[in-house]
Amino acid sequence: MTEIFKGNFTQQEPIPEAGIEAALQVMRSGRLHRYNLVEGEVGETALLEQEFAAYTGAKYALAVASGGYAMATALRAVGVKPGEPVLTNAFTLAPVPGAIASVGAVPVFVGVTEGLTIDLDDLEAKARATTAKVLMLSHMRGHLADMDALLEICAAAGLIVIEDCAHTMGAAWKGRASGRDGLIGCYSTQTYKHMNSGEGGLLITDDDEVMARAVILSGSYMLYGRNGTVPPAHVFERVKYDTPNVSGRMDHLRAAILRPQLAMLDGQCAAWNERYHVVEEGLRGTPGLTIVERPEEETYVGSSIQFLLLDWSEAAVGDVLARCMARGVELKWFGGAEPSGFTSRYDSWRYAPSDPMPASDRILLGIVDMRLPLTFSLEDCAQIARIIKAEVSAVFQAAD
Ligand SMILES: *Cc1c(COP(=O)(O)O)cnc(C)c1O
């Protein structure tokens, strides 16, 4: 009998009841704007900032409208200017080069390794070959590069590191929370990330001046004293006249939904990893399929899983995707020439011209990606792995 998987790859869990209750209270109050507070009230948005700063160990956190907005704000806060090159990953998603382009800067793509992390040799070479002052480091699909080696290269090259932690909220390198190694860490709370407010983002830093700029950029007017975590007033005095207001605040409603999710985040991460391990173990030993082994130093969050069909023909990869889809397993492919759904390649972002990267192209052509929503049971995950293993094996043997 041929098994068919019946689950839904885009179905998230409901918002926790505590979040629904808090959201109702915000709506009943009518005070949805983060600066609409009564005497003595801190507000959901400021409380979320305090709690997220505490969770990551950062001095400051700022809640904003989206992850992409957090990244663009980070670039503005460190003074990236129009026309300036900004290094970033070739293997990432469209909002990353999009954030760079949104400030008029020019993305310069750095290659990807078989471990699905940024190629550190290529990083070193491109840091040397360009005048880039900033690396927008995308921890794409939750894979962390050797952060110690990366920081060393960036320090030597004088590069400021901004981390895109859209897929690493709750992850760590040698115990250091993802987002804490760079000058700034950026997170998304969009529906498909580790916390769900529909849309939303967070930015963290320890730097007084960067945070003062980011707060004003986010649209604080002169009400920045009401934010959850703020540098001393004299820092704002230095920056408030020459920092534009580029409105992108988070409202109380989203923050109310997120606070109970933050309290549960570590448990959610453990639940993702249980599912990840079941799929990973189920895929081991599949002929022609390469497991992406995770380094010991990395504490990851397995909210999605990737494997490689390295050096397969495009037709054969397409065949695997179609056969799995017919059995209810929705896989994404990063090698597709045309952008589709959420997936696209560095060379499809034509506003950012790139030289060919054959070594990275070989890997991108082989990356197969699958989301692991927490609405899947462990048995669902085991079944998904059985289906993928059977279909990859069938196509591999036929091609042999
Ligand atoms: C989702 C995502 C972002 C941006 O998040 P939004 O909140 O959707 O703007 C940034 N980087 C990566 C890798 C993402 O997947």
Side-chain angles (χ1 to χ4, degrees), residues 43-385:
E44 294 283 346
T45 310
L47 288 169
L48 174 67
E49 289 168 341
Q50 291 170 4
E51 289 161 5
F52 196 69
Y55 178 79
T56 54
K59 205 160 157 193
Y60 306 119
L62 174 66
V64 295
S66 74
Y69 181 86
M71 293 189 288
T73 301
L75 292 166
R76 286 193 176 93
V78 300
V80 169
K81 295 286 180 297
E84 197 177 306
V86 172
L87 298 173
T88 193
N89 306 59
F91 175 47
T92 187
L93 290 177
V96 180
I100 296 169
S102 80
V103 302
V106 183
V108 176
F109 299 110
V110 181
V112 61
T113 67
E114 285 186 27
L116 305 190
T117 58
I118 196 163
D119 180 336
L120 295 180
D121 296 330
D122 196 33
L123 173 62
E124 213 164 11
K126 288 196 169 126
R128 225 177 290 121
T130 67
T131 56
K133 297 194 290 266
V134 175
L135 167 64
M136 172 63 79
L137 173 65
S138 184
H139 301 301
M140 178 61 176
R141 287 297 184 255
H143 295 274
L144 293 172
D146 178 338
M147 290 304 291
D148 298 306
L150 180 138
L151 292 174
E152 208 170 293
I153 290 167
C154 292
L159 283 172
I160 293 171
V161 180
I162 299 171
E163 295 181 72
D164 164 21
C165 303
H167 305 162
T168 54
M169 184 186 280
W173 182 261
K174 288 191 183 165
R176 306 192 301 268
S178 185
R180 297 284 295 131
D181 279 335
L183 178 64
I184 305 173
C186 304
Y187 306 80
S188 169
T189 62
Q190 189 234 75
T191 291
Y192 301 112
K193 310 301 162 87
H194 298 175
M195 299 198 292
N196 175 12
S197 58
E199 303 287 352
L202 288 151
L203 175 160
I204 61 165
T205 187
D206 284 349
D207 188 280
D208 288 355
E209 188 152 329
V210 162
M211 192 38 111
R213 287 190 190 282
V215 167
I216 292 183
L217 282 162
S218 76
S220 67
Y221 302 91
M222 293 301 139
L223 303 171
Y224 44 76
R226 298 184 191 174
N227 276 53
T229 55
V230 277
H234 67 88
V235 185
F236 283 97
E237 289 305 318
R238 277 210 306 272
V239 304
K240 71 180 190 186
Y241 298 104
D242 61 13
T243 305
N245 176 324
V246 186
S247 281
R249 295 168 302 269
M250 183 183 282
D251 55 89
H252 283 151
L253 196 51
R254 283 171 198 184
I257 292 171
L258 289 170
R259 291 181 57 218
Q261 293 181 58
L262 180 57
M264 296 166 55
L265 182 59
D266 287 340
Q268 299 287 94
C269 294
W272 266 306
N273 287 350
E274 276 187 277
R275 283 154 184 76
Y276 184 97
H277 291 137
V278 170
V279 176
E280 185 183 51
E281 284 316 306
L283 292 180
R284 278 195 193 282
T286 307
L289 180 150
T290 308
I291 300 276
V292 182
E293 301 293 350
R294 314 298 298 244
E296 224 171 80
E297 297 91 335
E298 183 192 33
T299 305
Y300 56 91
V301 182
S303 52
S304 69
I305 188 163
Q306 294 71 44
F307 57 84
L308 296 170
L309 300 179
L310 269 181
D311 303 319
W312 284 46
S313 72
E314 294 189 25
V317 177
D319 220 12
V320 167
L321 263 57
R323 293 173 68 130
C324 287
M325 193 64 200
R327 295 180 65 182
V329 175
E330 213 178 308
L331 302 174
K332 307 282 182 216
W333 182 41
F334 278 88
E338 277 303 309
S340 93
F342 285 111
T343 313
S344 55
R345 280 169 47 146
Y346 71 93
D347 49 2
S348 47
W349 304 319
R350 294 188 196 158
Y351 58 85
S354 56
D355 292 326
M357 291 193 271
S360 291
D361 291 344
R362 171 176 172 259
I363 292 160
L364 290 171
L365 277 168
I367 302 176
V368 181
D369 172 48
M370 185 175 73
R371 199 174 263 150
L372 286 173
L374 289 176
T375 49
F376 289 0
S377 67
L378 296 180
E379 177 43 42
D380 289 341
C381 294
Q383 185 184 41
I384 288 166

